[in-house]
Amino acid sequence: FNYLIAELLSQHSTELNRYVRYKNVFSYRGNMTPQSSPLFFLGGHANLIGYSNDEFWGRKVVYTQNLFELKPMPDLKFSIGRANFRRLAILFQFDAGRVSGASHMVAYKRQTTDTKVGTGIGLGFNTDLPYMEKTDIHFIVGRPSDSRKDLKYYAGFGGWVN
């Protein structure tokens, strides 16, 4: 193999007060030589909300992800059946990224080097489900900046803003 891969990952999170938390992720992955190398992917809940998983690919990928959690009632507690809920939060997400160095593959969509932006809004809460204590659950609706009608729906377990 005649290529050199570089990866840079920066994460910052802060709790501004008991009502607002923020997290920023910046990532660069790519081949530093002109040789062919493995492809890197961009798109989906993990790095470019509003787009399909791995919708974009190339030899170099750079993205930033900004997550905001607003807890209007941080002491809220309620139960539904055997499940106890806490920390109802409104979630906001703003992502931007781009790929470069993609080769054209006839059977696949042509790639672009334009910067793509995705936004999302949703709800998150912490729950004590039976057999799953202190579980974070979130639901988010995301959309790409270049299409108001193309909504993507995401759900997940685990910390949204760690």
Side-chain angles (χ1 to χ4, degrees):
F1 295 99
N2 299 338
Y3 56 83
L4 175 65
I5 301 293
E7 291 192 49
L8 171 68
L9 176 65
S10 171
Q11 294 184 14
H12 171 74
S13 61
T14 185
E15 190 157 340
L16 301 174
N17 54 44
R18 64 184 284 208
Y19 300 101
V20 180
R21 288 195 304 173
Y22 169 74
K23 179 179 180 181
N24 171 264
V25 176
F26 174 83
S27 177
Y28 169 84
R29 290 174 289 161
N31 182 5
M32 304 304 287
T33 67
Q35 305 297 325
S36 292
S37 69
L39 293 174
F40 298 98
F41 297 90
L42 183 65
H45 182 254
N47 53 33
L48 189 58
I49 197 162
Y51 292 90
S52 298
N53 287 334
D54 301 338
E55 184 170 342
F56 306 104
W57 65 87
R59 306 279 180 223
K60 296 178 183 173
V61 171
V62 62
Y63 73 88
T64 184
Q65 185 176 57
N66 296 280
L67 311 170
F68 298 89
E69 179 182 51
L70 175 62
K71 301 175 279 187
M73 299 177 285
D75 299 323
L76 176 70
K77 295 180 183 179
F78 63 97
S79 297
I80 299 175
R82 293 178 37 196
N84 300 314
F85 296 89
R86 297 181 302 282
R87 193 196 52 84
L88 181 64
I90 301 167
L91 310 174
F92 302 96
Q93 186 166 341
F94 174 84
D95 299 346
R98 71 185 294 264
V99 297
S100 62
S103 56
H104 177 62
M105 295 183 231
V106 176
Y108 294 99
K109 181 173 89 173
R110 189 150 188 84
Q111 293 295 290
T112 176
T113 58
D114 296 341
T115 299
K116 298 294 183 181
V117 175
T119 57
I121 187 167
L123 292 175
F125 49 88
N126 186 276
T127 181
D128 288 331
L129 297 172
Y131 308 107
M132 295 174 60
E133 292 185 13
K134 297 183 181 175
T135 301
D136 285 320
I137 299 175
H138 57 271
F139 302 95
I140 301 173
V141 177
R143 75 170 185 84
S145 61
D146 52 6
S147 174
R148 295 194 185 276
K149 296 180 182 178
D150 187 17
L151 298 177
K152 302 281 189 289
Y153 301 92
Y154 305 95
F157 289 98
W160 190 71
V161 176
N162 294 330

